[in-house]
Amino acid sequence: MTFHLRRHHLPWCAFFFAAALLPAQEVALTFDDLPRTGKLPPGTTRVDIIKHIVKILQDAHAPRVYGFVNGGKLASAPEELEALKAWTAAGFPLGSHGYSHFNLAETSVRRYTSDITANEPVLRSLVSDKTYWHWFRYPYLEEGDTLRKKEAVYAFLRKNHYRVAEVTLDFQDFLWNAPYARCLAQNDTVAIDWLKSNYLIAAEDRIEFGQQMSQTLYGRDIKHIMLLHVGGFETVMLPELLKLLKQKNFKLITLEDAASDPVYKVEPQWPTRHGGDFLSLTMRYRRLEIPWHRRLPKDQLRSLCR
Ligand SMILES: [Zn+2]
């Protein structure tokens, strides 16, 4: 049974009643770019940001949330190892996001795969169980601009027992970090309120976008994987995002659970070109029309509080 509800057209009680009848949606939250990403807001540290995010996730009883690490960031800031330790101390696992956050479209296969190997010592030192840290998230969601490269890296990952952490829900949350840091430094509360509401509008829109594509491709709601980043604004917005997910009837699951959905068992068949989430890329490959979705307010975010 499918419900097509426009919640704006219904009283709230009707919406909640209908949501209760819908089968639960499932999503694994994942965080990229540990130990740091984006501009640091005034009055905080990278370690504080990670600890704060971990606390919010624990309060929400989120099951084992993966953080994807760029070990190379520790070379310039070794003290940020504490941020990674705070993550694992909460019982959350770490995966690999490459040592240097290379873009595969701009890097040779040899350089890219040795960068994955270079990321292993720090992961090995922090996570004892190899099955946990042997997950890989492609930086920029770029899996290879040619099929040859895509197959070569995929074969490397498989040979080295890595699993790929795909992404189906992504609203580029990292775009809000720099304007937030600037607006906070200027104490511009009106601008910060605009950032907050816009963040949630983008999140909701992209969640619905992913759900729509899932229905078009598979005729059902797959187990989703959401991409988030460990930026300063996430410490403000993550509780609101969790509320939104709850309203939309999402239940938090582990990455292992999400990845058990058979849709993710696909061999490389097409180059990704400019990166992208699993669902949009699959839609493009199958020549299906991408559903309407809002443009992210990139220009406004770039110019705010300058
Ligand atoms: Zn990244």
Side-chain angles (χ1 to χ4, degrees):
M1 194 180 339
T2 317
F3 290 87
H4 289 286
L5 292 175
R6 280 264 150 217
R7 80 171 195 223
H8 318 282
H9 301 158
L10 289 166
W12 277 100
C13 56
F15 168 66
F16 283 117
F17 179 67
L21 292 176
L22 288 166
Q25 311 273 301
E26 293 176 302
V27 63
L29 303 182
T30 59
F31 286 79
D32 278 13
D33 297 2
L34 273 70
R36 67 169 178 275
T37 191
K39 202 170 152 63
L40 186 67
T44 188
T45 67
R46 299 295 179 182
V47 181
D48 286 344
I49 289 174
I50 298 273
K51 283 186 173 167
H52 199 155
I53 290 173
V54 164
K55 171 83 172 56
I56 296 165
L57 292 171
Q58 284 180 314
D59 288 348
H61 305 290
R64 286 210 323 275
V65 179
Y66 268 83
F68 289 89
V69 176
N70 303 122
K73 288 174 179 166
L74 296 175
S76 59
E79 71 280 5
E80 289 176 9
L81 184 64
E82 288 309 310
L84 303 182
K85 284 184 180 167
W87 194 270
T88 54
F92 292 158
L94 297 169
S96 180
H97 196 37
Y99 184 80
S100 312
H101 206 276
F102 281 149
N103 184 339
L104 181 50
E106 296 161 4
T107 315
S108 70
V109 169
R110 183 188 291 259
R111 194 158 177 240
Y112 194 83
T113 51
S114 35
D115 193 70
I116 296 171
T117 308
N119 208 30
E120 293 189 347
V122 67
L123 291 167
R124 195 179 290 120
S125 74
L126 288 159
V127 185
S128 53
D129 190 336
K130 185 171 144 180
T131 54
Y132 286 174
W133 63 265
H134 268 217
W135 281 86
F136 183 69
R137 165 70 49 70
Y138 287 90
Y140 310 99
L141 304 183
E142 175 56 77
E143 301 188 8
D145 54 324
T146 66
L147 190 55
R148 189 193 63 78
K149 279 170 89 170
K150 186 168 178 172
E151 281 171 342
V153 172
Y154 186 81
F156 168 88
L157 291 170
R158 195 147 62 173
K159 186 169 159 241
N160 291 280
H161 313 289
Y162 278 93
R163 298 182 69 186
V164 174
E166 296 287 359
V167 171
T168 64
L169 304 177
D170 173 23
F171 59 100
Q172 300 188 25
D173 64 318
F174 60 88
L175 293 171
W176 276 258
N177 288 322
Y180 171 64
R182 290 195 303 269
C183 296
L184 191 64
Q186 295 173 19
N187 216 352
D188 189 338
T189 50
V190 174
I192 292 173
D193 283 345
W194 181 86
L195 286 172
K196 288 179 185 171
S197 66
N198 244 274
Y199 174 105
L200 287 174
I201 289 169
E204 181 166 22
D205 182 69
R206 293 299 164 104
I207 291 167
E208 289 172 1
F209 179 52
Q211 288 177 304
Q212 243 180 307
M213 290 192 289
S214 167
Q215 285 292 345
T216 305
L217 284 163
Y218 309 109
R220 66 181 174 91
D221 296 304
I222 61 165
K223 293 178 186 237
H224 284 284
I225 303 170
M226 181 179 260
L227 169 59
L228 297 166
H229 295 77
V230 288
F233 199 47
E234 220 60 85
T235 63
V236 179
M237 294 311 294
L238 188 53
E240 302 303 316
L241 180 65
L242 289 165
K243 244 182 258 171
L244 175 68
L245 286 169
K246 206 169 194 176
Q247 275 170 21
K248 297 184 90 64
N249 209 26
F250 272 93
K251 180 182 143 211
L252 303 183
I253 58 171
T254 62
L255 176 62
E256 286 87 352
D257 186 355
S260 72
D261 194 308
V263 299
Y264 298 111
K265 285 191 183 61
V266 282
E267 298 285 318
Q269 296 169 84
W270 65 90
T272 53
R273 293 196 181 94
H274 308 291
D277 69 86
F278 179 81
L279 296 173
S280 314
L281 292 172
T282 309
M283 295 280 289
R284 288 210 176 93
Y285 174 67
R286 296 197 190 166
R287 296 181 191 282
L288 293 166
E289 197 184 328
I290 302 283
W292 181 88
H293 55 287
R294 284 171 191 273
R295 285 168 68 98
L296 295 168
K298 290 185 183 176
D299 293 341
Q300 294 100 305
L301 292 171
R302 216 174 287 129
S303 59
L304 196 70
C305 296
R306 290 280 183 193

